Amino acid sequence: MRYSAPAKINLSLKIVGRREDGFHELETLVLPLPGLCDTLTFHPADEFSLSCETPGVPTDESNLVSKALRIFERETGLACPYQVQLTKEIPHGAGLGGGSSDAATTLLALNELTNANVPLDSLAAWAAELGSDIPLFLYQSPCWGRGRGEIIEPIELTWSHAIVLFKPAFDISTPWAYSCWQGSRELPEISYAPQEIAGITLSNDLERPVFQKHYFLAELKMFLLKHPSTLGAVMSGSGSTVFAILKSPDDAQALIKETRQEMDPTLWSHSEVRFIS
Ligand code: C5P
């Protein structure tokens, strides 16, 4: 059986404060991107194994897919002897939630394949043990994430725009970005102001620490913000992806070409039209 694990972007990410447990209290508006997915294939086998052809992806017990499967086995008491093949499309260290989505999809897949019928709120509690932004992927819907990101409120968004994602070759560590948030400063000539677009506010409090270290991302955001084909631009999660919302989907390919020419010819990119009704 094949399952798709979509990427996400954070349309907004507000840090409300630091918590006693070391995490940060968030309010984040998250949009899944069904056009950018990893794929997980489950084959019945004698025992669990994970394979992935993408270099650098661990296939041992440290992978979030393995961890999700082990939590599912522990909590349900069921053995899950599947050979799982993971095909990565979502870039790593990008703020797009690839590993988290793979883990959430593993829980959903095992729930279906074993007919365990675990309710969504139990799966969400197990997912939250593994990572703050794993539960949101269980809901397969735009949502608010609160708490450390694990308290999910699915929402309806009526919204239809083309979105273009850009990621440079370097990755960003999420713990590092959060650890630098307090005490970070805004850079002159870079706009961090919330952008109101069709009833949605684009903003990201992690831009402050991330742009201080990676000035290229601040420049990339400003290039996209000033471009005549965009309505707005912001970083996703802890980066290094910056995305733009376009006035017209017809402009996506031209924007990708021009951004590569002007900013960095090696930029990874993805575009999709997200219709939500
Ligand atoms: O929950 P997860 O393991 O994905 O988080 C990775 C790291 O990101 C945490 O260890 C913490 O340093 C940071 N983080 C945070 N506040 C959040 C989410 C993550 O400080 N709300």
Side-chain angles (χ1 to χ4, degrees), residues 19 22-26 100 128 130-134 147-149 174-176 178-179:
R19 302 166 25 142
F23 284 83
H24 293 74
E25 191 74 12
L26 303 182
S100 297
L130 290 175
S132 306
D133 68 351
I134 300 179
R148 59 184 170 87
T174 300
W176 170 83
Y178 278 104
S179 71

Side-chain angles (χ1 to χ4, degrees), residues 40 62 93:
L40 291 104
S62 70

Side-chain angles (χ1 to χ4, degrees), residues 75-157:
E75 295 291 332
T76 60
L78 297 169
C80 297
Y82 291 97
Q83 186 211 335
V84 184
Q85 198 182 337
L86 173 62
T87 308
K88 295 293 295 178
E89 293 293 336
I90 306 170
H92 174 261
L96 300 175
S100 297
S101 186
D102 297 343
T105 302
T106 301
L107 293 174
L108 291 172
L110 293 175
N111 205 25
E112 183 177 282
L113 293 168
T114 63
N115 293 312
N117 274 321
V118 178
L120 201 53
D121 55 351
S122 301
L123 291 180
W126 307 344
E129 262 185 56
L130 290 175
S132 306
D133 68 351
I134 300 179
L136 70 92
F137 288 102
L138 296 170
Y139 293 84
Q140 301 172 314
S141 157
C143 61
W144 282 103
R146 298 195 176 86
R148 59 184 170 87
E150 89 286 20
I151 302 170
I152 304 304
E153 180 196 348
I155 55 160
E156 285 188 18
L157 276 183

Side-chain angles (χ1 to χ4, degrees), residues 238-256:
S238 51
S240 57
T241 298
V242 175
F243 65 90
I245 312 275
L246 301 199
K247 292 176 185 162
S248 159
D250 301 339
D251 294 334
Q253 288 315 312
L255 179 67
I256 291 172

Side-chain angles (χ1 to χ4, degrees), residues 10 16 19 22 51 56 64 74 101 109-110 132 137 143 150 167 177 199 203 221 223 231 244 246 250 258 260 266:
N10 301 80
V16 182
R19 302 166 25 142
S51 61
L64 279 169
R74 185 189 79 198
S101 186
L110 293 175
S132 306
F137 288 102
C143 61
E150 89 286 20
K167 183 196 176 292
S203 69
K221 177 185 176 181
F223 174 82
L231 291 167
L246 301 199
D250 301 339
E258 207 180 315
R260 286 202 179 123
T266 70

